[in-house]
Amino acid sequence: MTSSPAVGTTAGPGEPRPRLMDRRGWRTLRADPAGLVVGTVFALLAMTPSLLPRTWFFQAVVSGISAAIGYGVAVGLVWLLRRWSRWQQVEAWARARLPGWVRTTAWLVLLVAVPVSLLVVLTIASDWQREVRALIGLPGETAAGWLRAAPAIVVVAVLLVALARGVRWIGRLVTRVLRRVRLPQRPAQVIGGLVALAVVVGLVEGVVLRWALSAADTSFSVTNDETKDGVEQPTLAERSGSPGSLAAWDTLGSEGQAFVAGGPSRARIAGAAGVDEDAVTVPIRAYVGLESADAPEDRAALAVAELERTGAFDREVLAVVTTTGTGWVNSAAPQALELVYGGDTATVATQYSYLPSWLSFIVDRSRAAAAGRTLFDAVYERVQQLPEAGRPRLLVYGESLGSAGSEAAFSGLADIRERADGVLWVGPPNSNELWSAFVERRDPGEPEVEPVYAGGIAVRFGSGIEDLEEPATEWLDPRVVYLQHPTDPIVWWSPDLLLTRPDWLVEPRGEGVSPAMSWYPVVTFWQVTVDMTNAQSPPDGYGHNYGDLLLDAWLLIAPPDGWTAADTDRARAVVG
């Protein structure tokens, strides 16, 4: 691949070549002017606001990646143009008529404009970031601190461009070898390019990813076997991992142990439910770890056996939870039910991975689906064997990747309404099939961030409890709720962001999203990708934090019989 004139390349045909260009090292460091211009534009666009505030370091990563992509796009387009005869004529005309000092001056202007524009826009971007931080209730940062991103942007971009040039060098090397054995130039170039691509894919998939996943697997499996500080084996028979449990304590994993060992005290339950402490029932928490049984079906069967052992099918409420990647259960979800039902509840969950949720999203999505489907099916089948009047209220919960796994238990809304008594799905990834179908088929004129599906008769979406109370039409049981913040990148990230403007960036911005946020091809994709790493850093009510909404959400979905507004106020006071 050839490029446009390099830094310092001012000599035309027949003119003496600048001495610096005779040096092999300088030729290696040459830069394409079109690449510099477009790469800088991409870097600047990446400084515009996204869903969540960024630190200067993350800004450097986003802008550096965007700059490298812009550089590559420009160099590729120039390469194509220079194979067009008309462009070759224009280029020859300009080379013959423009004196060398014009091109030299243009290069000097460009080399000054790039760093100056980075510094100027970084200063403006610091104001945007202060605005974004203010929208979600965080203190601002100084502009001076943000200027540290400028050199880091250059380093990231240069490293990525150098990596791409290394790939190109491999392709050219193969091409030269093939030409020496008298293969025609065009086939030699095609084969060289394919070999270079194969080498990259092989290194990434066969070496880098395999090593990274192996290292992650080893690291997180060790973490999974460690008991967290302050977590002790329960002695209550109502908890998995207790001495009489069918699921041994040391097989539950770190997150499973924390789940079964936790829970509200009898005093807190009594205060929230408005009953005497003596009337409180010990909540059941059943959990089966990845090492408790081999296959998803075996773990689901063991979980049902644990529910049988603890008497869970005699409880008023039975909640089936699909965990996130590490086996984590947001304790606020079962705790809210335990508080308002006076402890007369059972919660069951199984672990399908010990990788973090973001990594599980890449490599373990099928496991999440299998875990969610097999667990719910097993519990539902056992519940169906009970007399109808004696069945517990069967509720479903999933958060983040857990919502994707939990959705997998159902084929559609009719199936949900047939088999569940209430569903709460929190922070659903954009790839969730049911969520995507409901949002895509939302009522005409309804925004994507706060959709209304079928008049809100069964499924409702909201960033706050007040959102779930709209529209004012009847909301039939069983109720299905999706909690989703406009600022949650887990909900709004999609590969489609690369080339397609989403509806949520066409419509008026959702609560907490900067009005200055816009969509740019490729750039917005990387911005939201980086936002996902900070998804839980904002305060409750923003990003991927929903703990403050779970109590009220459950009370809308499945309130205890006779529950009143005064009861809700009392429970809120206990939860805090």
Side-chain angles (χ1 to χ4, degrees), residues 138-466:
L138 292 176
E141 293 183 342
T142 63
W146 258 69
L147 296 181
R148 291 175 292 181
I153 290 170
V154 175
V155 170
V156 172
V158 167
L159 288 175
L160 291 174
V161 171
L163 181 62
R165 287 184 172 180
V167 174
R168 185 181 64 180
W169 178 84
I170 293 173
R172 287 179 170 177
L173 178 63
V174 173
T175 301
R176 286 197 297 270
V177 171
L178 293 175
R179 292 286 288 144
R180 287 173 184 169
V181 297
R182 301 187 182 282
L183 191 69
Q185 182 173 353
R186 187 55 57 84
Q189 288 177 330
V190 171
I191 294 174
L194 292 175
V195 169
L197 180 62
V199 168
V200 172
V201 172
L203 286 174
V204 171
E205 288 192 353
V207 179
V208 178
L209 283 181
R210 182 173 297 177
W211 175 84
L213 290 175
S214 176
D217 188 68
T218 301
S219 173
F220 291 114
S221 64
V222 170
T223 303
N224 183 67
D225 293 335
E226 296 176 351
T227 301
K228 295 183 177 182
D229 292 340
V231 173
E232 298 181 357
Q233 181 179 6
T235 57
L236 296 170
E238 291 84 358
R239 303 299 171 92
S240 292
S242 61
S245 173
L246 302 175
W249 171 253
D250 58 2
T251 69
L252 299 186
S254 178
E255 296 295 347
Q257 290 176 344
F259 170 66
V260 298
S265 66
R266 297 178 69 94
R268 287 194 72 206
I269 294 174
V275 298
D276 293 334
E277 195 169 329
D278 294 339
V280 171
T281 305
V282 177
I284 292 170
R285 291 192 175 191
Y287 192 96
V288 174
L290 196 59
E291 298 177 11
S292 301
D294 293 332
E297 294 78 10
D298 297 331
R299 290 191 286 273
L302 182 56
V304 171
E306 271 291 273
L307 294 176
E308 292 274 15
R309 180 189 67 81
T310 56
F313 295 106
D314 296 326
R315 295 300 175 96
E316 189 171 354
V317 167
L318 173 54
V320 180
V321 175
T322 303
T323 65
T324 63
T326 57
W328 177 74
V329 177
N330 186 348
S331 61
Q335 179 175 277
L337 292 171
E338 292 163 352
L339 290 173
V340 300
Y341 277 92
D344 194 13
T345 64
T347 305
V348 61
T350 60
Q351 182 185 19
Y352 55 85
S353 174
Y354 38 67
L355 298 176
S357 193
W358 64 269
L359 192 53
S360 292
F361 181 77
I362 299 173
V363 299
D364 276 344
R365 272 187 285 182
S366 60
R367 291 188 189 181
R373 182 170 53 251
T374 54
L375 178 60
F376 181 82
D377 288 349
V379 173
Y380 175 76
E381 182 179 348
R382 180 62 185 89
V383 168
Q384 289 300 107
Q385 297 172 7
L386 302 173
E388 188 171 352
R391 295 173 186 171
R393 183 179 280 186
L394 187 58
L395 304 180
V396 176
Y397 179 82
E399 183 167 338
S400 195
L401 183 58
S403 71
S406 186
E407 273 193 3
F410 305 98
S411 60
L413 181 57
D415 191 29
I416 295 173
R417 294 180 58 78
E418 174 69 24
R419 300 200 294 157
D421 295 312
V423 175
L424 178 55
W425 284 322
V426 175
N430 200 270
S431 58
N432 280 19
E433 292 186 10
L434 294 183
W435 178 87
S436 296
F438 294 145
V439 172
E440 185 177 340
R441 300 170 189 168
R442 64 189 182 274
D443 294 351
E446 295 295 334
E448 187 173 20
V449 291
E450 293 182 9
V452 174
Y453 174 77
I457 195 169
V459 182
R460 296 200 177 183
F461 305 79
S463 177
I465 298 305
E466 64 281 356

Side-chain angles (χ1 to χ4, degrees), residues 480-493:
V480 180
V481 165
Y482 283 99
L483 293 179
Q484 53 184 56
H485 293 319
T487 53
D488 186 353
I490 305 298
V491 177
W492 307 115
W493 180 90

Side-chain angles (χ1 to χ4, degrees), residues 5 9-13 15 94-96 98-108:
T9 308
T10 59
E15 296 179 13
R95 195 181 291 121
L98 288 178
W101 68 266
V102 173
R103 280 169 282 168
T104 301
T105 303
W107 262 111
L108 291 174

Side-chain angles (χ1 to χ4, degrees), residues 92 118 277 296 409 449 464 544 561 576:
L118 284 177
E277 195 169 329
V449 291
H544 199 58
D561 293 338

